[in-house]
mmCIF file of all heavy atoms in Angstrom:
data_model
loop_
_atom_site.group_PDB
_atom_site.id
_atom_site.type_symbol
_atom_site.label_atom_id
_atom_site.label_comp_id
_atom_site.label_asym_id
_atom_site.label_seq_id
_atom_site.Cartn_x
_atom_site.Cartn_y
_atom_site.Cartn_z
ATOM 1 N N LEU A 164 -7.210 -8.385 -17.953
ATOM 2 C CA LEU A 164 -8.401 -7.981 -18.693
ATOM 3 C C LEU A 164 -8.366 -6.485 -18.987
ATOM 4 O O LEU A 164 -7.540 -5.748 -18.447
ATOM 5 C CB LEU A 164 -9.653 -8.319 -17.886
ATOM 6 C CG LEU A 164 -9.825 -9.787 -17.460
ATOM 7 C CD1 LEU A 164 -11.082 -9.939 -16.609
ATOM 8 C CD2 LEU A 164 -9.874 -10.703 -18.673
ATOM 9 N N ARG A 165 -9.292 -6.041 -19.843
ATOM 10 C CA ARG A 165 -9.396 -4.611 -20.091
ATOM 11 C C ARG A 165 -9.614 -3.884 -18.764
ATOM 12 O O ARG A 165 -10.360 -4.330 -17.903
ATOM 13 C CB ARG A 165 -10.557 -4.313 -21.042
ATOM 14 C CG ARG A 165 -10.271 -4.624 -22.485
ATOM 15 C CD ARG A 165 -11.338 -4.061 -23.417
ATOM 16 N NE ARG A 165 -12.671 -4.588 -23.110
ATOM 17 C CZ ARG A 165 -13.680 -3.849 -22.651
ATOM 18 N NH1 ARG A 165 -13.506 -2.558 -22.404
ATOM 19 N NH2 ARG A 165 -14.850 -4.400 -22.418
ATOM 20 N N MET A 166 -8.968 -2.738 -18.616
ATOM 21 C CA MET A 166 -9.000 -2.020 -17.355
ATOM 22 C C MET A 166 -10.431 -1.691 -16.928
ATOM 23 O O MET A 166 -10.768 -1.770 -15.752
ATOM 24 C CB MET A 166 -8.170 -0.735 -17.466
ATOM 25 C CG MET A 166 -7.961 -0.018 -16.151
ATOM 26 S SD MET A 166 -7.029 -1.034 -14.991
ATOM 27 C CE MET A 166 -7.363 -0.176 -13.464
ATOM 28 N N ARG A 167 -11.283 -1.353 -17.879
ATOM 29 C CA ARG A 167 -12.654 -1.005 -17.541
ATOM 30 C C ARG A 167 -13.405 -2.206 -16.964
ATOM 31 O O ARG A 167 -14.176 -2.072 -16.017
ATOM 32 C CB ARG A 167 -13.382 -0.468 -18.770
ATOM 33 C CG ARG A 167 -14.784 0.091 -18.519
ATOM 34 C CD ARG A 167 -14.747 1.326 -17.641
ATOM 35 N NE ARG A 167 -14.990 1.060 -16.239
ATOM 36 C CZ ARG A 167 -14.682 1.894 -15.259
ATOM 37 N NH1 ARG A 167 -14.096 3.046 -15.515
ATOM 38 N NH2 ARG A 167 -14.932 1.584 -14.009
ATOM 39 N N VAL A 168 -13.173 -3.376 -17.541
ATOM 40 C CA VAL A 168 -13.812 -4.597 -17.045
ATOM 41 C C VAL A 168 -13.342 -4.903 -15.625
ATOM 42 O O VAL A 168 -14.146 -5.169 -14.723
ATOM 43 C CB VAL A 168 -13.518 -5.788 -17.979
ATOM 44 C CG1 VAL A 168 -14.038 -7.090 -17.377
ATOM 45 C CG2 VAL A 168 -14.128 -5.558 -19.353
ATOM 46 N N THR A 169 -12.029 -4.874 -15.421
ATOM 47 C CA THR A 169 -11.469 -5.156 -14.105
ATOM 48 C C THR A 169 -11.950 -4.148 -13.071
ATOM 49 O O THR A 169 -12.332 -4.518 -11.950
ATOM 50 C CB THR A 169 -9.931 -5.140 -14.171
ATOM 51 O OG1 THR A 169 -9.488 -6.077 -15.146
ATOM 52 C CG2 THR A 169 -9.323 -5.501 -12.820
ATOM 53 N N GLN A 170 -11.957 -2.872 -13.446
ATOM 54 C CA GLN A 170 -12.347 -1.846 -12.483
ATOM 55 C C GLN A 170 -13.827 -1.938 -12.131
ATOM 56 O O GLN A 170 -14.208 -1.666 -10.986
ATOM 57 C CB GLN A 170 -12.015 -0.457 -13.022
ATOM 58 C CG GLN A 170 -12.106 0.641 -11.972
ATOM 59 C CD GLN A 170 -11.178 0.390 -10.800
ATOM 60 O OE1 GLN A 170 -10.022 0.011 -10.977
ATOM 61 N NE2 GLN A 170 -11.686 0.590 -9.586
ATOM 62 N N ASN A 171 -14.669 -2.339 -13.075
ATOM 63 C CA ASN A 171 -16.085 -2.533 -12.761
ATOM 64 C C ASN A 171 -16.253 -3.606 -11.694
ATOM 65 O O ASN A 171 -17.087 -3.479 -10.784
ATOM 66 C CB ASN A 171 -16.870 -2.918 -14.016
ATOM 67 C CG ASN A 171 -17.081 -1.735 -14.945
ATOM 68 O OD1 ASN A 171 -16.942 -0.575 -14.543
ATOM 69 N ND2 ASN A 171 -17.408 -2.015 -16.194
ATOM 70 N N TYR A 172 -15.473 -4.682 -11.807
ATOM 71 C CA TYR A 172 -15.500 -5.734 -10.780
ATOM 72 C C TYR A 172 -15.021 -5.187 -9.440
ATOM 73 O O TYR A 172 -15.647 -5.422 -8.394
ATOM 74 C CB TYR A 172 -14.622 -6.913 -11.220
ATOM 75 C CG TYR A 172 -14.240 -7.833 -10.097
ATOM 76 C CD1 TYR A 172 -15.169 -8.714 -9.546
ATOM 77 C CD2 TYR A 172 -12.952 -7.810 -9.555
ATOM 78 C CE1 TYR A 172 -14.820 -9.551 -8.494
ATOM 79 C CE2 TYR A 172 -12.601 -8.646 -8.509
ATOM 80 C CZ TYR A 172 -13.529 -9.512 -7.974
ATOM 81 O OH TYR A 172 -13.199 -10.330 -6.927
ATOM 82 N N VAL A 173 -13.923 -4.445 -9.460
ATOM 83 C CA VAL A 173 -13.372 -3.888 -8.223
ATOM 84 C C VAL A 173 -14.373 -2.938 -7.564
ATOM 85 O O VAL A 173 -14.516 -2.919 -6.334
ATOM 86 C CB VAL A 173 -12.033 -3.168 -8.507
ATOM 87 C CG1 VAL A 173 -11.560 -2.383 -7.290
ATOM 88 C CG2 VAL A 173 -10.967 -4.176 -8.931
ATOM 89 N N ASN A 174 -15.071 -2.157 -8.363
ATOM 90 C CA ASN A 174 -16.023 -1.197 -7.809
ATOM 91 C C ASN A 174 -17.148 -1.869 -7.036
ATOM 92 O O ASN A 174 -17.670 -1.307 -6.065
ATOM 93 C CB ASN A 174 -16.607 -0.331 -8.930
ATOM 94 C CG ASN A 174 -15.596 0.650 -9.499
ATOM 95 O OD1 ASN A 174 -14.497 0.801 -8.974
ATOM 96 N ND2 ASN A 174 -15.963 1.324 -10.568
ATOM 97 N N ILE A 175 -17.531 -3.082 -7.438
ATOM 98 C CA ILE A 175 -18.596 -3.803 -6.742
ATOM 99 C C ILE A 175 -18.206 -4.083 -5.296
ATOM 100 O O ILE A 175 -18.999 -3.914 -4.367
ATOM 101 C CB ILE A 175 -18.934 -5.113 -7.475
ATOM 102 C CG1 ILE A 175 -19.535 -4.813 -8.860
ATOM 103 C CG2 ILE A 175 -19.907 -5.967 -6.659
ATOM 104 C CD1 ILE A 175 -19.709 -6.045 -9.725
ATOM 105 N N GLN A 176 -16.937 -4.501 -5.097
ATOM 106 C CA GLN A 176 -16.524 -4.850 -3.738
ATOM 107 C C GLN A 176 -16.492 -3.638 -2.822
ATOM 108 O O GLN A 176 -16.557 -3.791 -1.602
ATOM 109 C CB GLN A 176 -15.166 -5.552 -3.745
ATOM 110 C CG GLN A 176 -13.997 -4.717 -4.223
ATOM 111 C CD GLN A 176 -13.417 -3.772 -3.204
ATOM 112 O OE1 GLN A 176 -13.332 -4.090 -2.017
ATOM 113 N NE2 GLN A 176 -13.028 -2.584 -3.659
ATOM 114 N N PHE A 177 -16.394 -2.444 -3.380
ATOM 115 C CA PHE A 177 -16.366 -1.242 -2.551
ATOM 116 C C PHE A 177 -17.606 -1.163 -1.663
ATOM 117 O O PHE A 177 -17.518 -0.842 -0.474
ATOM 118 C CB PHE A 177 -16.279 -0.011 -3.448
ATOM 119 C CG PHE A 177 -16.370 1.303 -2.710
ATOM 120 C CD1 PHE A 177 -15.258 1.832 -2.086
ATOM 121 C CD2 PHE A 177 -17.570 1.999 -2.643
ATOM 122 C CE1 PHE A 177 -15.328 3.043 -1.399
ATOM 123 C CE2 PHE A 177 -17.656 3.209 -1.978
ATOM 124 C CZ PHE A 177 -16.534 3.723 -1.348
ATOM 125 N N PHE A 178 -18.765 -1.491 -2.220
ATOM 126 C CA PHE A 178 -20.014 -1.406 -1.458
ATOM 127 C C PHE A 178 -20.110 -2.536 -0.428
ATOM 128 O O PHE A 178 -20.623 -2.333 0.675
ATOM 129 C CB PHE A 178 -21.201 -1.432 -2.421
ATOM 130 C CG PHE A 178 -21.187 -0.277 -3.384
ATOM 131 C CD1 PHE A 178 -20.742 -0.444 -4.686
ATOM 132 C CD2 PHE A 178 -21.580 0.991 -2.987
ATOM 133 C CE1 PHE A 178 -20.714 0.617 -5.579
ATOM 134 C CE2 PHE A 178 -21.555 2.068 -3.875
ATOM 135 C CZ PHE A 178 -21.113 1.877 -5.170
ATOM 136 N N ALA A 179 -19.590 -3.704 -0.777
ATOM 137 C CA ALA A 179 -19.553 -4.793 0.196
ATOM 138 C C ALA A 179 -18.600 -4.456 1.339
ATOM 139 O O ALA A 179 -18.885 -4.736 2.511
ATOM 140 C CB ALA A 179 -19.113 -6.086 -0.497
ATOM 141 N N TYR A 180 -17.478 -3.852 0.999
ATOM 142 C CA TYR A 180 -16.499 -3.447 2.002
ATOM 143 C C TYR A 180 -17.112 -2.417 2.955
ATOM 144 O O TYR A 180 -16.978 -2.521 4.178
ATOM 145 C CB TYR A 180 -15.291 -2.854 1.284
ATOM 146 C CG TYR A 180 -14.004 -2.796 2.077
ATOM 147 C CD1 TYR A 180 -13.857 -3.423 3.308
ATOM 148 C CD2 TYR A 180 -12.899 -2.112 1.552
ATOM 149 C CE1 TYR A 180 -12.656 -3.379 4.001
ATOM 150 C CE2 TYR A 180 -11.689 -2.063 2.242
ATOM 151 C CZ TYR A 180 -11.581 -2.692 3.469
ATOM 152 O OH TYR A 180 -10.388 -2.636 4.144
ATOM 153 N N ALA A 181 -17.805 -1.439 2.394
ATOM 154 C CA ALA A 181 -18.446 -0.405 3.210
ATOM 155 C C ALA A 181 -19.466 -1.020 4.161
ATOM 156 O O ALA A 181 -19.566 -0.626 5.338
ATOM 157 C CB ALA A 181 -19.117 0.629 2.313
ATOM 158 N N THR A 182 -20.213 -2.009 3.674
ATOM 159 C CA THR A 182 -21.212 -2.673 4.519
ATOM 160 C C THR A 182 -20.551 -3.421 5.674
ATOM 161 O O THR A 182 -21.006 -3.341 6.830
ATOM 162 C CB THR A 182 -22.048 -3.651 3.675
ATOM 163 O OG1 THR A 182 -22.688 -2.934 2.620
ATOM 164 C CG2 THR A 182 -23.095 -4.346 4.531
ATOM 165 N N ALA A 183 -19.473 -4.154 5.385
ATOM 166 C CA ALA A 183 -18.775 -4.901 6.433
ATOM 167 C C ALA A 183 -18.203 -3.958 7.484
ATOM 168 O O ALA A 183 -18.299 -4.228 8.697
ATOM 169 C CB ALA A 183 -17.659 -5.750 5.811
ATOM 170 N N ILE A 184 -17.610 -2.849 7.040
ATOM 171 C CA ILE A 184 -17.043 -1.881 7.985
ATOM 172 C C ILE A 184 -18.139 -1.259 8.838
ATOM 173 O O ILE A 184 -17.983 -1.088 10.058
ATOM 174 C CB ILE A 184 -16.254 -0.802 7.229
ATOM 175 C CG1 ILE A 184 -15.007 -1.413 6.580
ATOM 176 C CG2 ILE A 184 -15.861 0.349 8.163
ATOM 177 C CD1 ILE A 184 -14.308 -0.495 5.606
ATOM 178 N N PHE A 185 -19.265 -0.941 8.212
ATOM 179 C CA PHE A 185 -20.392 -0.386 8.969
ATOM 180 C C PHE A 185 -20.851 -1.359 10.043
ATOM 181 O O PHE A 185 -21.130 -0.961 11.185
ATOM 182 C CB PHE A 185 -21.546 -0.059 8.019
ATOM 183 C CG PHE A 185 -22.782 0.419 8.725
ATOM 184 C CD1 PHE A 185 -22.842 1.693 9.269
ATOM 185 C CD2 PHE A 185 -23.877 -0.420 8.869
ATOM 186 C CE1 PHE A 185 -23.976 2.127 9.950
ATOM 187 C CE2 PHE A 185 -25.014 0.001 9.530
ATOM 188 C CZ PHE A 185 -25.065 1.283 10.071
ATOM 189 N N LEU A 186 -20.908 -2.638 9.717
ATOM 190 C CA LEU A 186 -21.352 -3.639 10.681
ATOM 191 C C LEU A 186 -20.365 -3.783 11.838
ATOM 192 O O LEU A 186 -20.773 -4.016 12.984
ATOM 193 C CB LEU A 186 -21.554 -4.990 9.990
ATOM 194 C CG LEU A 186 -22.763 -5.091 9.049
ATOM 195 C CD1 LEU A 186 -22.759 -6.411 8.301
ATOM 196 C CD2 LEU A 186 -24.061 -4.925 9.840
ATOM 197 N N ILE A 187 -19.068 -3.641 11.572
ATOM 198 C CA ILE A 187 -18.073 -3.742 12.650
ATOM 199 C C ILE A 187 -18.284 -2.616 13.668
ATOM 200 O O ILE A 187 -18.283 -2.847 14.882
ATOM 201 C CB ILE A 187 -16.645 -3.702 12.076
ATOM 202 C CG1 ILE A 187 -16.385 -4.955 11.235
ATOM 203 C CG2 ILE A 187 -15.615 -3.600 13.203
ATOM 204 C CD1 ILE A 187 -15.080 -4.913 10.463
#
Side-chain angles (χ1 to χ4, degrees):
L164 304 177
R165 283 191 301 114
M166 189 63 196
R167 187 65 264 162
V168 173
T169 303
Q170 193 59 44
N171 286 342
Y172 162 74
V173 170
N174 289 352
I175 294 172
Q176 65 80 37
F177 175 81
F178 299 101
Y180 200 10
T182 301
I184 293 169
F185 176 74
L186 289 173
I187 294 172

